[in-house]
Amino acid sequence: MTKITKKTGKKRAARSSSKVVSIRTKKPFNNYRQATAYLFEKTDYEKEERVRYNVTTFSLDRMRNLLSLLGDPHAKINTVHIAGTKGKGSTATMLARMLESNGYTVGLYTSPHLVHLHERIVVNSQMISEAEMLGLMNRIYAPVEKLSKDDPPTFFEIMTALAFMYFADRKIDIGVIETGLGGRLDSTNVILPKVVGITSLSIDHKLQLGDTIDRIAMEKAGVFKKGVPAITVQQDPTAMSVLREQAIVVKAPLSVTGSSDIDFSYRFETSREHGPHTRICLTTPTSKFEHIRVPLHGKHQAINCGLALALLDRLRSSGYEIDIDKAADGLCGVTLPGRMEMVCDDPRIMIDGAHNAASVRALIHAIGQNIPYDSMVVIFGCNADKDIPGMLTELQYGADKVIFTRSNSMKAVSPQDLAEMYTDICGKMYQTSSSLGEALQLARSAVGREDLILITGSFYLIGQAKVRFQPNVTLAAS
């Protein structure tokens, strides 16, 4: 076994011999505003309503060409790759915090951001600074312009390259990398990770990834690499079958939490110190994690935490020195903006980025288990590429009243269209509003002290809510 030490003697991937583009000229950007304005001008598939999902639109060759011109920074860092439909960000963050608590310098790359672009690129819980971003943008400008003559890099490709550059500059010990869309064609799928994690799979991004669970599983399994161990959670049987078949095809050893591979269990409890919470136990051939407290609410977060622990154990087996008690301490401090986050106490207002049917179902269950309330008014808005009937079906089981609104996303569905679909599904009470501000006025007039207002359905919508309730936070230009 190769020991991976925290500061010295760290085993690193071989440095690429690729030639770095260097053009002797004055810096293209004099300030941060100029640099980010240039970045936001690039094609951003997160914003576009209809995107063709193919090897031309989502080109790994284009991504590799950009990285080659930058000296292949992704080849200079060790990584963990996390894909899936829901829980990627939670799993990635919990894993990163456990590694940090063990003394490692950890890079964390996630998407999308709620409020500020810099949320996507983090080292040891600190977002990249404006000065650091400006420096990276000045370095990446020439390679981007060189490629733009024939095949312009996209916003997400540039962001991903910036993350790899930053992590290489900071000489991180490990990078936890979350996929954006899908897996097979995702810009992050150029790395050769130490281990791959697949979170829970469900229907999402129907226009790009398909509307059946087997097609989605096939896309997510595209991150499997020959000889690289992969770990997943219990899945829909059809999805699990696809994952197992693809793991065999590419010769990636696949383990599953909650099976004979990795024993996993969880239990819900309440204590004076922590209130309602979940504890998990996970046993592998090399480690035993007993009664670990999950820092986030809900059964789904217990499953995500189990996966994070299994990934941590795999890194331990590959040479990373991990102390279980320190890992548990790292978990205790995990909080996630936009995940069952209470942003106002009077009235009680919670935001959550549930943006597919499975996530809404998990959210409604977690609120019922952990948050006491008399009635719940839900402010809901979502994008057109989502499983809207599935989300609305799940919403009816927890919402006493729904107020449909729209976010500032170009892909947002009109409140009237959402209301019509909701009426067809259940016929329950609803209102519509043209903006989040108007929706909040309606909600406040309908709730009492013991009631709860929940804002959900879209990361764009809860990003707007976070800005509204945190005056010192400014919504990113993107």
Side-chain angles (χ1 to χ4, degrees):
M1 180 189 300
T2 304
K3 283 286 184 183
I4 312 290
T5 59
K6 299 174 181 65
K7 297 298 178 187
T8 60
K10 180 170 58 179
K11 185 180 178 182
R12 290 194 176 276
R15 289 183 177 268
S16 168
S17 59
S18 301
K19 200 168 185 179
V20 180
V21 167
S22 178
I23 298 177
R24 292 187 177 277
T25 183
K26 67 177 183 179
K27 293 179 180 179
F29 307 115
N30 294 320
N31 56 56
Y32 175 78
R33 185 181 295 274
Q34 289 178 349
T36 51
Y38 173 81
L39 177 61
F40 294 147
E41 290 172 356
K42 302 304 177 185
T43 300
D44 186 355
Y45 294 135
E46 293 175 11
K47 295 181 178 179
E48 296 188 7
E49 185 170 347
R50 292 189 174 273
V51 180
R52 291 187 176 183
Y53 185 76
N54 54 41
V55 295
T56 301
T57 305
F58 294 84
S59 172
L60 288 184
D61 286 340
R62 182 172 59 235
M63 185 65 194
R64 291 189 182 100
N65 289 338
L66 175 59
L67 291 170
S68 176
L69 295 175
L70 294 165
D72 288 326
H74 64 301
K76 301 171 184 175
I77 57 175
N78 294 322
T79 56
V80 176
H81 206 190
I82 299 179
T85 305
K86 62 189 184 77
K88 299 192 299 290
S90 302
T91 303
T93 301
M94 285 189 277
L95 176 59
R97 297 295 179 269
M98 288 190 288
L99 287 163
E100 287 174 31
S101 67
N102 272 275
Y104 289 102
T105 302
V106 185
L108 177 62
Y109 180 59
T110 58
S111 61
H113 59 275
L114 284 182
V115 176
H116 200 288
L117 182 69
H118 293 203
E119 295 169 25
R120 299 179 182 229
I121 304 176
V122 171
V123 171
N124 281 7
S125 303
Q126 294 295 315
M127 292 188 296
I128 185 173
S129 70
E130 289 190 2
E132 289 166 328
M133 180 70 87
L134 174 60
L136 292 174
M137 285 298 299
N138 276 321
R139 285 164 54 191
I140 205 172
Y141 175 80
V144 169
E145 287 297 296
K146 179 179 176 66
L147 293 176
S148 293
K149 296 174 183 177
D150 300 310
D151 194 11
T154 67
F155 168 85
F156 188 72
E157 288 164 351
I158 295 171
M159 279 301 302
T160 304
L162 290 171
F164 291 147
M165 293 167 68
Y166 186 57
F167 294 161
D169 288 351
R170 291 289 302 270
K171 295 181 172 57
I172 62 168
D173 297 304
I174 189 79
V176 183
I177 312 297
E178 176 193 350
T179 61
L181 176 67
R184 177 175 62 98
L185 300 180
D186 189 74
S187 301
T188 64
N189 200 26
V190 294
I191 58 177
L192 184 62
K194 292 286 187 182
V195 61
V196 167
I198 305 288
T199 64
S200 297
L201 302 183
S202 53
I203 304 296
D204 199 3
H205 298 293
K206 295 170 65 175
L207 298 179
Q208 290 81 31
L209 305 182
D211 56 4
T212 60
I213 195 67
D214 57 327
R215 289 183 61 185
I216 288 173
M218 182 69 75
E219 290 299 325
K220 306 296 184 181
V223 300
F224 291 160
K225 304 290 190 303
K226 183 178 180 180
V228 175
I231 305 173
T232 190
V233 300
Q234 292 290 325
Q235 305 280 4
D236 171 275
T238 301
M240 186 65 78
S241 177
V242 172
L243 293 179
R244 290 193 184 280
E245 289 172 3
Q246 291 306 302
I248 291 171
V249 168
V250 302
K251 299 180 180 178
L254 177 65
S255 302
V256 182
T257 60
S259 70
S260 58
D261 304 320
I262 302 173
D263 185 62
F264 170 71
S265 62
Y266 60 90
R267 74 171 190 272
F268 178 79
E269 63 181 47
T270 299
S271 69
R272 180 174 296 179
E273 181 182 3
H274 302 297
H277 63 278
T278 308
R279 289 190 180 272
I280 63 176
C281 295
L282 184 136
T283 303
T284 73
T286 54
S287 297
K288 193 169 187 177
F289 302 91
E290 294 188 296
H291 311 299
I292 301 293
R293 183 173 69 86
V294 180
L296 306 171
H297 290 310
K299 167 187 170 183
H300 59 299
Q301 295 293 8
I303 293 170
N304 294 335
C305 189
L307 178 58
L309 285 172
L311 293 169
L312 185 75
D313 173 67
R314 181 61 65 177
L315 290 174
R316 189 185 200 188
S317 298
S318 69
Y320 283 81
E321 298 172 355
I322 302 297
D323 180 278
I324 293 176
D325 290 335
K326 290 180 180 178
D329 289 342
L331 271 180
C332 288
V334 172
T335 58
L336 278 176
R339 274 77 163 187
M340 290 186 68
E341 180 183 4
M342 203 71 76
V343 293
C344 183
D345 294 324
D346 187 17
R348 291 188 300 165
I349 302 176
M350 175 183 286
I351 61 174
D352 191 279
H355 57 280
N356 61 50
S359 294
V360 173
R361 183 188 315 123
L363 172 61
I364 295 298
H365 183 269
I367 289 175
Q369 192 175 46
N370 294 277
I371 310 296
Y373 64 89
D374 285 345
S375 67
M376 181 163 67
V377 176
V378 178
I379 297 174
F380 183 89
C382 69
N383 288 348
D385 60 345
K386 301 298 180 179
D387 176 16
I388 300 172
M391 296 172 75
L392 296 180
T393 297
E394 298 298 336
L395 199 62
Q396 67 174 313
Y397 299 122
D400 295 290
K401 177 180 178 179
V402 180
I403 301 171
F404 293 109
T405 189
R406 67 180 303 149
S407 70
N408 56 7
S409 169
M410 295 171 59
K411 297 187 289 186
V413 183
S414 76
Q416 291 74 25
D417 288 346
L418 290 171
E420 288 178 11
M421 285 185 269
Y422 194 61
T423 299
D424 290 341
I425 289 169
C426 68
K428 293 182 71 173
M429 183 169 32
Y430 71 83
Q431 287 180 277
T432 60
S433 62
S434 60
S435 67
L436 175 60
E438 181 184 343
L440 282 165
Q441 286 182 339
L442 292 171
R444 282 190 168 107
S445 67
V447 298
R449 181 179 295 275
E450 302 304 320
D451 297 332
L452 177 68
I453 298 172
L454 170 66
I455 304 173
T456 192
S458 162
F459 273 105
Y460 290 94
L461 188 63
I462 65 169
Q464 289 176 251
K466 195 164 179 64
V467 171
R468 177 177 289 270
F469 290 101
Q470 296 183 357
N472 294 329
V473 173
T474 304
L475 194 62
S478 61

